Amino acid sequence: MLCRQCEETVAGTGCVKKGVCGKTEELAASQDLLVGTLIELAASGARGAEVDEAIVDGLFMTLSNTNFDKARIDAEAEKGRALIGKDAVIRCGDILSLDADADLRSLKELLLFGMKGMAAYYHHAAILGGSDESVTGFLRKGMASLAKDLSADELVALNLECGSVGATCLALLDRMNTDAYGVPEVTTVGTGVRKNPGILITGHDLKDLEQLLEQTQGTGVDVYTHGEMLPANAYPAFKRYPNLVGNYGGAWYKQKEEFESFNGPIIATTNCVLIPRDSYKDRLFTTGTAGVEGVKHIEERDGRKDFSEVISLARRCPAPAAIDDASLTIGFGHAQVLALADRIVDAVKSGAIKRFVVMAGCDGREKGREYYTKFAQSLPGDTVILTAGCAKYRYNRLNLGDIGGIPRVIDAGQCNDCYSLVVIANALSEAFGTDLNGLPLSFNISWYEQKAVLVLLTLLSLGVKDIMLGPRLPGFVTPGILDVLAKNFGIRPNSSVREDMAILHIE
Ligand code: SF4
Ligand code: SF3
């Protein structure tokens, strides 16, 4: 195997025996075959809803920390093969087979990983009834292009197109979420526990939460969010459920300890799910594209998932053990921030706010990610952090205060809500009559998986320059391609907090 799609890849170069994430060689081979099948499917010219769904779901299942169930990956590849035709010859879609030239391969990997992120976001929009042929059409074109001999220029253009279609996809998801569940409201969420038994729900799938909340009414079972489900607490449609208690724990990589102490069942709706410890394996359930071998998977039937087994298990379990009892302020989607626009503009004009720093992205388990906590702590009091994704867990308990009522951490929600950050940045550009690069706005992005790759491509397609990326640069980017990214877009790695503050014009 050779997998280097995420930030935690071994030595920053590639997992070759076993993934840091727990992916085995056998599972990696199955995932490569699935990707190869999707490339052939896209190249076959086959069309239709089933084809698009196969590409979207198949790509999402190969995203880091999403599906560790070989049988399900193999079944998905079989589905794709059947759509091509019974004589389909599938070449393996592993990274070495994509191109012989290292730089061209690197550009193809960047494209493939960006498309994995796009597939994940599109899957979420599609669950809520959203569709957009420009997204699915691009995924077919982009996947088919991986099998072609293309020049570096053609591949760079495809990557930028991926980013720009990514913006469309994120806008669609934003619309579907707010149409279904209302506009997120600024909300204070507790992290403490109550005495009832509880169910913990993690991942990004809001529809799963909706069905769980409906089905737990009157059962005496509480519901807690975990990881990327935290922002759900800000939606009006979920706030009306009295048994939605709040958020339990932190980012995905802490789940082995936190799922243990939760005591009750856990539903993993998407990434990030980890291979569980035995201590809670029998309490873990997956749904949707998520999967782990030996862990019960809840299928959807006629648009409904039946969580009765989870609820009855919860009733037999002790209440969760408290981890802490903090208050987190969330819900700063674009609607809430734009409502504050006049105050924000005034604060910038008066000098009360000197700079915004986008610190969106992913969290992860490496010690080096303490950098983001230190960076947030070291920011001067006249700086505002704009965030989305699980990266926020590195600093959302720091109580960084506010500037004249404008919080110093503006949390737009899940990584799925990155579109809000784009809307906010565009509104600032308009207010100040400058392009994005002329604003007092810096980017210090932390990445882990492939949704972050898509967001990065989206920012590049919007013309954003000088993005700082960490904690390590992608292992799939060759020195040659890095040079192109540095020269044309000013992308650079992070280093020490002090040096980076100076580079990002933070005084
Ligand atoms: Fe390694 Fe990341 Fe691939 Fe897992 S997803 S095998 S940790 S590169
Ligand atoms: Fe996090 Fe997995 Fe990327 Fe949604 S939950 S941001 S890492």
Side-chain angles (χ1 to χ4, degrees):
M1 71 181 276
L2 174 54
C3 183
R4 53 187 183 192
Q5 65 177 356
C6 83
E7 192 273 338
E8 294 192 355
T9 196
V10 168
T13 53
C15 297
V16 288
K17 287 206 177 98
K18 191 178 179 185
V20 175
C21 61
K23 189 153 103 182
T24 60
E25 266 189 280
E26 295 73 34
L27 181 62
S30 285
Q31 290 193 352
D32 289 345
L33 196 66
L34 172 54
V35 170
T37 307
L38 301 177
I39 292 172
E40 299 293 342
L41 175 59
S44 72
R47 292 279 180 281
E50 272 184 309
V51 171
D52 290 337
E53 196 180 293
I55 294 174
V56 167
D57 291 2
L59 280 175
F60 191 1
M61 285 170 88
T62 67
L63 193 109
S64 301
N65 286 343
T66 303
N67 199 308
F68 295 94
D69 189 343
K70 186 176 177 307
R72 291 218 9 246
I73 302 282
D74 290 344
E76 199 66 23
E78 216 24 71
K79 207 159 85 187
R81 178 194 286 269
L83 286 167
I84 310 172
K86 60 178 170 30
D87 299 327
V89 180
I90 309 294
R91 282 169 294 171
C92 175
D94 73 3
I95 50 175
L96 292 177
S97 68
L98 288 178
D99 221 294
D101 178 90
D103 287 343
L104 296 180
R105 194 164 68 221
S106 177
L107 286 168
K108 282 190 175 172
E109 285 177 73
L110 184 60
L111 178 60
L112 172 62
F113 302 151
M115 288 191 291
K116 288 189 183 192
M118 188 185 295
Y121 291 133
Y122 191 77
H123 175 93
H124 285 290
I127 281 175
L128 298 175
S131 68
D132 190 325
E133 165 58 25
S134 69
V135 178
T136 46
F138 178 79
L139 286 173
R140 291 194 306 270
K141 174 172 118 176
M143 287 300 283
S145 75
L146 297 178
K148 292 184 184 155
D149 285 329
L150 297 173
S151 67
D153 285 348
E154 287 169 316
L155 286 169
V156 168
L158 272 168
N159 272 295
L160 288 176
E161 189 180 343
C162 182
S164 121
V165 177
T168 308
C169 184
L170 283 163
L172 172 72
L173 178 55
D174 180 82
R175 203 166 61 245
M176 298 319 298
N177 280 342
T178 49
D179 283 357
Y181 305 118
V183 174
E185 296 163 351
V186 176
T187 305
T188 304
V189 183
T191 65
V193 297
R194 296 204 298 217
K195 292 205 169 73
N196 302 328
I199 296 172
L200 189 60
I201 181 165
T202 191
H204 303 72
D205 193 325
L206 299 179
K207 194 169 177 191
D208 285 344
L209 175 63
E210 178 188 16
Q211 297 197 5
L212 179 67
L213 286 169
E214 275 167 10
Q215 292 175 36
T216 47
Q217 290 320 291
T219 63
V221 172
D222 285 338
V223 173
Y224 295 78
T225 58
H226 179 268
E228 276 285 71
M229 202 57 86
L230 159 66
N233 290 281
Y235 284 92
F238 302 135
K239 287 170 78 166
R240 62 190 169 87
Y241 289 101
N243 66 327
L244 177 60
V245 177
N247 194 69
Y248 185 84
W252 62 270
Y253 68 96
K254 291 185 169 169
Q255 64 186 245
K256 291 199 178 175
E257 292 79 43
E258 293 173 351
F259 288 2
E260 201 165 271
S261 64
F262 185 73
N263 295 332
I266 307 113
I267 302 171
T269 65
T270 66
N271 62 306
C272 282
V273 61
L274 299 177
I275 296 172
R277 286 181 181 165
D278 285 345
S279 60
Y280 65 87
K281 190 173 181 182
D282 293 345
R283 291 190 271 121
L284 181 63
F285 297 78
T286 59
T287 67
T289 50
V292 180
E293 217 162 276
V295 166
K296 191 119 195 184
H297 186 73
I298 297 170
E299 296 285 356
E300 184 183 65
R301 299 202 200 291
D302 302 324
R304 185 175 186 272
K305 289 177 186 169
D306 180 358
F307 292 116
S308 53
E309 188 184 341
V310 189
I311 297 166
S312 88
L313 173 59
R315 286 170 138 163
R316 301 194 300 273
C317 292
I323 297 175
D324 61 3
D325 194 8
S327 292
L328 306 174
T329 305
I330 63 165
F332 287 97
H334 54 86
Q336 300 297 340
V337 177
L338 295 191
L340 284 175
D342 289 347
R343 278 163 69 190
I344 293 176
V345 169
D346 287 348
V348 174
K349 285 187 176 151
S350 72
I353 294 179
K354 289 232 169 57
R355 188 156 281 273
F356 299 90
V357 190
V358 176
M359 290 181 71
C362 310
D363 199 358
R365 64 197 120 195
E366 306 117 305
K367 199 154 168 33
R369 286 189 187 257
E370 285 169 358
Y371 161 94
Y372 293 102
T373 309
K374 287 189 197 128
F375 190 91
Q377 266 167 335
S378 309
L379 286 171
D382 52 15
T383 319
V384 171
I385 296 174
L386 300 175
T387 192
C390 62
K392 62 168 134 305
Y393 282 105
R394 288 283 164 180
Y395 45 81
N396 68 350
R397 282 172 165 83
L398 292 180
N399 293 322
L400 292 179
D402 64 286
I403 300 172
I406 300 159
R408 289 198 52 230
V409 179
I410 293 188
D411 177 6
Q414 299 179 333
C415 60
N416 291 22
D417 302 305
C418 275
Y419 177 69
S420 266
L421 300 183
V422 172
V423 174
I424 293 165
N426 280 337
L428 287 172
S429 305
E430 214 167 287
F432 290 101
T434 167
D435 69 4
L436 292 177
N437 297 305
L439 288 171
L441 176 68
S442 306
F443 289 81
N444 193 357
I445 306 274
S446 58
W447 80 290
Y448 166 67
E449 36 71 14
Q450 299 80 53
K451 286 160 123 184
V453 175
L454 195 255
V455 173
L456 180 70
L457 291 176
T458 296
L459 292 173
L460 299 185
S461 77
L462 292 170
V464 175
K465 297 258 194 294
D466 299 333
I467 294 172
M468 185 168 273
L469 187 63
R472 283 191 305 195
L473 291 179
F476 58 85
V477 173
T478 57
I481 298 306
L482 185 59
D483 202 42
V484 173
L485 291 174
K487 281 203 183 102
N488 296 332
F489 302 102
I491 288 196
R492 58 184 130 208
N494 63 342
S495 55
S496 71
V497 169
R498 221 162 119 204
E499 278 173 72
D500 294 349
M501 290 265 174
I503 294 170
L504 295 173
H505 313 289
I506 299 162
E507 291 138 16

